[in-house]
Amino acid sequence: MPKFSITVNGADAQVDAPDDMPLLWALRDLMGLTGSKYGCGIGQCGACTVHLNGAPVRSCLLPVGQVSGQAITTIEGLADGDALHALQQAWIEKDVAQCGYCQSGQIMSAAALLQSNPEPTDADIDAAMAGNYCRCGTYIRIREAIHAAAMSVDAAAAK
Amino acid sequence: MSALIDPRRVLDAPLVSSEQTTRRDFLKISGVMGGGLMLAAAVPGWTQTTPQLVGGGDLNAYVQIKPDGSIVIYSGSPEMGQGIATSLPMIVAEEMGADWADVVVQQTPEVNTERYGRQSTGGSYTVYLNWQLMREMGASAREMLISAAAIVMELPRDELQAEDSRVRHLFSNRSRSFAELASLAQDQPIPAKADLVFRAREDYRIIGTSKSQVDSFDIVTGQGDFGIDTRVPNMLYGSYTKCPAVGGKIVEANIEDIKTLPGVVDAYIVRGNGNVRELLDGVGIVGTSTWAVFTARKALQIRWDESQASKDSWTDFAEFAEKQGDTGAAVLFEQGDVDTALQDPSNTVISSFYEYPYLTHLCLEPMNCTAHFQPGKAGVKDHLEMWLPTQSGPGFKTLAQQRYGLDADQLSIHVKRMGGSFGRRTSGEYMCEAIELSKLSGRPVKLTWSREDSMRHDYFREGGFCRLRGAMTADGKLAAWEEHTIGTAVGSEPSRWTGVRAGSFPLATSAHARGSLTTFRMDTPSGPWRAPFSNTHAFVSQCFIHELAEAAGRDHVELLIEMMGEPRWLEPGNFRAMNTGRAVGVIKLAAEKGGWGRPMPAGRGLGIAFYFCHAAHVAELAEVSVDDEGKVTVHKVTAAVDVGPIINRSGALNQVQGSIIDGYSAMAGQKITMENGRIQQTNLDQYPVLRIDAAPQVDVHFIESDFDPTGLGEPGLPPLAPAVANAMFVATGRRVRAMPLFDQGFSV
């Protein structure tokens, strides 16, 4: 079986996997990183969202063979050590989750949004987050939390 | 045909035994490891066991104080996103006088109803059924801590008060922490239940505040411990493939070919017992990753015997329904003289036909279970360990025991957080399939259903139809109401999720009313889906009331209030029944807060709907516009809710907002159809769901009446669809009588 080298959450990892195995299953079953979720397997729900070289991708459709030598960030690697990402902090403070299953994908999509657009409007949020489904219907709080995180990053930068 | 369907029986049926839960004197105490304080609750279980008072050292526990000052409060009810693991411990902490920051919530470590009580969740019942028990556990802990403090501080008990995890002297600044008192407290007399005094509402410091879910940190850091995340040593990954038409039996399958595929460890033909809720025929594959077994199953060639399998056709059901008349063969409810009012030429009589589709649960976490069956050796019995996402650990445990001939001590069950359930994880076939694969392979197996499995093999919200007739007097009063549901039958018995409910509005409040049922056989399994029955009945009944108001030239809100009559309980003595005074309260509040009566520009309208279910009174007012292309925008929904006192304000608000968005998602695009027994939609590309860009603003107003608190997981959903449909009528003049909107030429 091919062996791939991938940088996952800043650490080099070797993965023995068939090259067509989606990254999602390599992360979950072979590397024990279960924060990225399987929802639909066809790129429609966004629960599996991770960052590939900083850009959001649906890991359920991305063959592991295509990410060899590249950098992956998953929800487990979003915090900076013990310091939560502003979005994670906002998600806790706004009590966004209900069942919580989609939320790691939601947060990863939101993190990519804030990276490119630090002060998104509601319309920006809707456009960036429309690929992430929430069965529990927490969209109102997702919007609130993204705005709150953007403001907290702003406030931190102003100090 | 069954007689009157008792709504409470139907509501209770899947999760509560007919045995009434009567609490016994329940408090015992014993030392535990680490010198902690442990209180035990002996309450009758959900299963048909004989309740016993606990004794000796083998006690159950809801409260434990650790030497470091942390207060462990157990959560006995499974968490599926309804927030119960936060709200119930808040009640305990309130009565104890605990500081919420010291509280650590843990899932009860085993399924044992004699130790922990019900341990099941559903029907929006869990707060209601646990409210008193949680208060008792908290208050007892508090009294024992105060007794300990009285000894240590040499002060009279009545000069001591528990607050912020300390017992304080009222007349000095002396105090002791709970941690200091814990080991002495466990030796104090257990208060008699009758002597317990509970905090007054005005003194609450935790109940009624907003607390983030106790698992929030784990969820946002990817550590959330869902069933599907289970990993145990030596584990294999499994899939299970069943006949696409429910009930098909395996004739043959190419499992020898499958066994040679990469990553496949073994494959099996499994013969089921024909019970769709236990084990149907299928092919099991176990392998080294989920991907390996998902890939291998694509190469499966199975020959099915479909002679006994479902031949269901939505088209046939719809054709049958359209032919049905005003009154069905089985009249299940009748009061007054409906026919006289309908035939009175001075009355205005209108008739309408409504349709609602099958829906799938679409829990985002697919069905899964990890099972490890270890055969007994000499002197050691068989043992089954499971990591199980379920709404009812006790229900599933009973099924596993019965099916595999195990005693209670031969099972260890870890109840896992659920990535949504909405009624789905009340049926144990995914557990049985996992057990089979573990028994066959001799290893622990995590069975994961694909999204396609989860949609195809669901217990659907059943679709159906309703023909309604109503008569309005010349002065605009409701003279008669008739509803005829065309629902499904499983075999010859009407489905319990369809039909007529005597306590429903407006059947129950109308002087002249009739409800009847005609059934059509469907073999597609149906089950509880968030606010079962109510999620369809609200649509047909509350839209039709608006139709009657329009026909009579009446204001919809005024008519609703008039129909309620004098404030009263519809079932005297049953406070879970509807109360017309509470109904009027939420209708008036939604109308006031949502700006009922405001002028609207062309293409925009306000619509309102009230519904009562799960002991909750809810009214919702929707502000909706529809453009020339049929694009619907729900700008805002204003909800007024009476479920008594709110436990966790943040959680309650989230549940109502989420129910409204979920209800809109279902209304907008969702429809499951079947032909020749095969479900036609098997993934999200064929089953549109609401995205964030279509989510409306939702304002929620609670009337915090003094009745005991009841649940909020479901009742926010039913009024949404009729409120939106009524607003669409105002905006466009076009009446929507079928869901989903996408099938009616609309988009969102």
Side-chain angles (χ1 to χ4, degrees):
Chain A
M1 206 176 291
K3 184 173 265 193
F4 301 103
S5 297
I6 315 173
T7 304
V8 179
N9 298 330
D12 291 333
Q14 303 290 316
V15 191
D16 284 317
D19 60 6
D20 63 345
M21 178 185 281
L23 175 63
L24 174 67
W25 298 114
L27 291 168
R28 289 182 55 83
D29 291 354
L30 306 184
M31 304 170 76
L33 294 171
T34 55
S36 307
K37 302 302 190 203
Y38 166 63
C40 69
I42 60 169
Q44 296 269 324
C45 78
C48 65
T49 304
V50 301
H51 293 178
L52 171 64
N53 304 322
V57 292
R58 308 291 183 228
S59 65
C60 74
L61 291 178
L62 184 64
V64 67
Q66 288 183 21
V67 301
S68 185
Q70 302 185 65
I72 301 295
T73 306
T74 70
I75 188 72
E76 290 93 340
L78 190 64
D80 181 7
D82 287 341
L84 292 182
H85 189 285
L87 283 163
Q88 292 171 312
Q89 196 63 47
W91 243 250
I92 294 172
E93 285 169 8
K94 296 288 180 186
D95 190 23
V96 172
Q98 286 183 33
C99 86
Y101 192 76
C102 73
Q103 299 295 353
S104 47
Q106 302 276 3
I107 291 170
M108 295 308 286
S109 288
L113 167 66
L114 290 188
Q115 196 72 38
S116 61
N117 182 352
E119 292 181 13
T121 63
D122 275 351
D124 296 335
I125 291 171
D126 285 356
M129 302 297 292
N132 288 81
Y133 171 54
C134 175
R135 169 68 168 87
C136 303
T138 63
Y139 296 133
I140 294 168
R141 289 191 178 185
I142 287 172
R143 280 195 204 119
E144 289 174 3
I146 293 173
H147 284 307
M151 285 176 65
S152 74
V153 172
D154 256 14
K159 277 181 190 168
Chain B
M1 191 59 62
S2 62
L4 264 186
I5 296 174
D6 176 347
R8 284 157 302 155
R9 184 183 68 79
V10 173
L11 197 66
D12 281 2
L15 289 168
V16 185
S17 76
S18 56
E19 187 180 45
Q20 280 294 306
T21 303
T22 49
R23 247 174 243 113
R24 307 264 299 261
D25 289 332
F26 65 100
L27 289 170
K28 294 281 176 184
I29 191 162
S30 85
V32 292
M33 283 183 297
L37 165 67
M38 202 177 226
L39 296 172
V43 296
W46 172 72
T47 50
Q48 305 280 348
T49 52
T50 305
Q52 293 176 355
L53 289 177
V54 292
D58 185 20
L59 301 178
N60 62 20
Y62 271 92
V63 179
Q64 187 177 1
I65 298 174
K66 301 277 193 184
D68 69 359
S70 60
I71 300 166
V72 175
I73 300 179
Y74 282 107
S75 171
S77 298
E79 176 64 59
M80 54 182 170
Q82 82 281 43
I84 204 71
T86 306
S87 51
L88 293 187
M90 285 174 73
I91 302 168
V92 178
E94 177 72 66
E95 288 296 341
M96 269 187 86
D99 181 341
W100 183 249
D102 296 332
V103 171
V104 177
V105 174
Q106 293 178 2
Q107 192 74 30
T108 44
E110 60 173 335
V111 174
N112 184 338
T113 52
E114 293 193 19
R115 288 174 65 126
Y116 296 111
R118 188 164 171 261
Q119 290 190 295
S120 296
T121 191
S124 296
Y125 256 129
T126 313
V127 163
Y128 165 71
L129 288 177
N130 287 282
W131 163 247
Q132 186 62 17
L133 176 65
M134 293 297 108
R135 293 208 296 172
E136 290 164 357
M137 300 312 287
S140 303
R142 176 230 299 149
E143 292 307 308
M144 294 165 80
L145 287 157
I146 288 176
S147 295
I151 295 168
V152 174
M153 299 165 78
E154 298 180 324
L155 289 165
R157 290 187 91 263
D158 59 7
E159 291 183 15
L160 296 169
Q161 187 178 43
E163 211 70 81
D164 301 326
S165 305
R166 299 188 77 81
V167 178
R168 298 179 191 281
H169 183 218
L170 287 171
F171 309 118
S172 73
N173 58 5
R174 296 173 61 196
S175 71
R176 288 285 189 283
S177 72
F178 283 4
E180 292 173 282
L181 298 168
S183 69
L184 185 59
Q186 70 181 2
D187 295 329
Q188 299 310 303
I190 302 150
K193 199 166 84 170
D195 294 341
L196 292 175
V197 176
F198 304 114
R199 280 172 180 267
R201 274 182 76 176
E202 56 268 28
D203 295 333
Y204 283 167
R205 299 171 66 153
I206 296 175
I207 292 176
T209 64
S210 285
K211 301 296 181 201
S212 190
Q213 269 201 70
V214 294
D215 293 333
S216 282
F217 180 89
D218 289 344
I219 288 166
V220 304
T221 54
Q223 312 301 316
D225 196 13
F226 297 92
I228 203 169
D229 299 335
T230 301
R231 294 167 59 82
V232 298
N234 201 33
M235 181 180 88
L236 291 173
Y237 299 83
S239 74
Y240 195 77
T241 304
K242 291 178 281 196
C243 182
V246 64
K249 291 187 164 50
I250 288 189
V251 179
E252 58 184 354
N254 61 333
I255 61 166
E256 294 308 320
D257 299 339
I258 299 299
K259 290 177 187 175
T260 66
L261 296 174
V264 171
V265 172
D266 211 344
Y268 319 95
I269 290 175
V270 179
R271 305 286 177 189
N273 67 353
N275 185 334
V276 68
R277 292 179 183 276
E278 294 184 8
L279 190 69
L280 293 181
D281 277 17
V283 172
I285 305 174
V286 292
T288 54
S289 71
T290 314
W291 176 247
V293 296
F294 278 13
T295 303
R297 66 185 290 186
K298 290 181 188 160
L300 266 176
Q301 291 173 2
I302 307 174
R303 193 150 69 85
W304 299 102
D305 169 4
E306 295 191 33
S307 57
Q308 302 300 312
S310 168
K311 306 290 189 298
D312 283 358
S313 160
W314 172 256
T315 309
D316 289 352
F317 184 18
E319 283 175 4
F320 170 84
E322 282 163 16
K323 291 180 204 149
Q324 304 306 309
D326 292 320
T327 306
V331 174
L332 301 178
F333 178 91
E334 188 152 21
Q335 62 188 10
D337 182 353
V338 177
D339 293 318
T340 297
L342 287 167
Q343 287 154 12
D344 184 339
S346 67
N347 288 340
T348 301
V349 176
I350 64 169
S351 172
S352 287
F353 184 68
Y354 282 79
E355 171 186 333
Y356 42 88
Y358 276 78
L359 296 179
T360 182
H361 283 87
L362 204 65
C363 311
L364 202 54
E365 179 195 20
M367 298 306 107
N368 67 88
C369 173
T370 304
H372 187 197
F373 185 88
Q374 293 168 282
K377 297 173 191 141
V380 180
K381 293 196 280 190
D382 294 347
H383 191 80
L384 175 62
E385 184 169 15
M386 293 192 287
W387 294 262
L388 185 56
T390 172
Q391 285 184 230
S392 176
F396 280 47
K397 183 177 183 180
T398 301
L399 171 60
Q401 283 185 241
Q402 289 172 350
R403 188 170 161 71
Y404 296 97
L406 301 170
D407 296 328
D409 64 357
Q410 291 175 272
L411 284 96
S412 308
I413 295 180
H414 312 275
V415 172
K416 307 300 284 186
R417 185 182 184 87
M418 288 169 274
S421 188
F422 310 101
R424 175 61 183 86
R425 295 182 223 260
T426 54
S427 178
E429 75 289 352
Y430 55 91
M431 173 190 76
C432 294
E433 293 165 9
I435 295 169
E436 295 289 327
L437 295 186
S438 179
K439 289 186 80 164
L440 287 163
S441 66
R443 290 175 57 180
V445 174
K446 174 162 69 178
L447 170 75
T448 303
W449 284 22
S450 66
R451 173 54 53 202
E452 291 79 6
D453 291 329
S454 297
M455 282 181 68
R456 188 180 281 134
H457 299 295
D458 201 359
Y459 298 84
F460 300 89
R461 192 290 295 276
E462 65 190 68
F465 307 82
C466 192
R467 197 174 287 286
L468 298 114
R469 284 199 295 174
M472 299 295 283
T473 62
D475 59 350
K477 294 187 166 21
L478 179 72
W481 175 275
E482 169 154 39
E483 59 186 53
H484 171 201
T485 298
I486 300 102
T488 70
V490 181
S492 57
E493 283 294 305
S495 155
R496 73 199 231 228
W497 313 110
T498 189
V500 175
R501 297 214 178 157
S504 65
F505 173 74
L507 270 187
T509 56
S510 302
H512 306 288
R514 179 162 61 216
S516 61
L517 175 67
T518 300
T519 58
F520 184 80
R521 177 176 168 165
M522 294 288 271
D523 293 332
T524 302
S526 59
W529 185 104
R530 200 174 202 173
F533 173 81
S534 306
N535 60 46
T536 55
H537 186 255
F539 173 63
V540 303
S541 63
Q542 305 309 309
C543 285
F544 193 62
I545 291 174
H546 187 223
E547 290 200 59
L548 290 169
E550 291 290 319
R554 293 291 307 278
D555 177 88
H556 188 186
V557 168
E558 285 178 16
L559 178 63
L560 281 173
I561 292 170
E562 181 181 286
M563 287 169 70
M564 294 298 168
E566 290 301 305
R568 66 199 185 281
W569 294 100
L570 292 186
E571 293 173 34
N574 175 13
F575 104 104
R576 286 188 59 82
M578 182 170 142
N579 179 298
T580 54
R582 296 175 84 178
V584 169
V586 295
I587 292 166
K588 285 182 171 173
L589 185 62
E592 178 204 326
K593 298 289 186 184
W596 180 252
R598 274 180 294 147
M600 287 278 131
R604 196 162 172 133
L606 297 175
I608 196 165
F610 163 82
Y611 205 70
F612 169 82
C613 61
H614 303 278
H617 300 75
V618 183
E620 292 171 11
L621 186 151
E623 182 173 344
V624 177
S625 62
V626 184
D627 73 12
D628 293 341
E629 274 79 51
K631 184 175 192 302
V632 179
T633 303
V634 178
H635 300 278
K636 185 168 129 181
V637 178
T638 304
V641 179
D642 181 354
V643 287
I646 298 301
I647 309 297
N648 182 0
R649 194 162 301 278
S650 173
L653 180 60
N654 213 356
Q655 290 301 312
V656 178
Q657 289 181 329
S659 298
I660 283 169
I661 288 171
D662 190 24
Y664 186 36
S665 184
M667 178 195 201
Q670 296 174 12
K671 181 175 186 175
I672 291 286
T673 58
M674 61 291 291
E675 294 301 335
N676 196 27
R678 284 161 165 74
I679 304 303
Q680 307 286 292
Q681 297 78 21
T682 59
N683 210 323
L684 290 182
D685 52 343
Q686 300 151 330
Y687 193 78
V689 295
L690 200 78
R691 306 292 179 157
I692 192 170
D693 55 346
Q697 180 188 343
V698 179
D699 289 352
V700 182
H701 304 273
F702 293 110
I703 295 177
E704 298 188 61
S705 55
D706 276 325
F707 304 102
D708 280 2
T710 60
L712 265 178
E714 297 164 275
L717 187 142
L720 185 279
V724 170
N726 292 341
M728 288 175 67
F729 176 80
V730 174
T732 65
R734 184 177 159 196
R735 175 61 62 182
V736 172
R737 296 195 185 89
M739 296 192 280
L741 297 176
F742 288 8
D743 272 12
Q744 309 293 307
F746 296 103
S747 62
V748 302

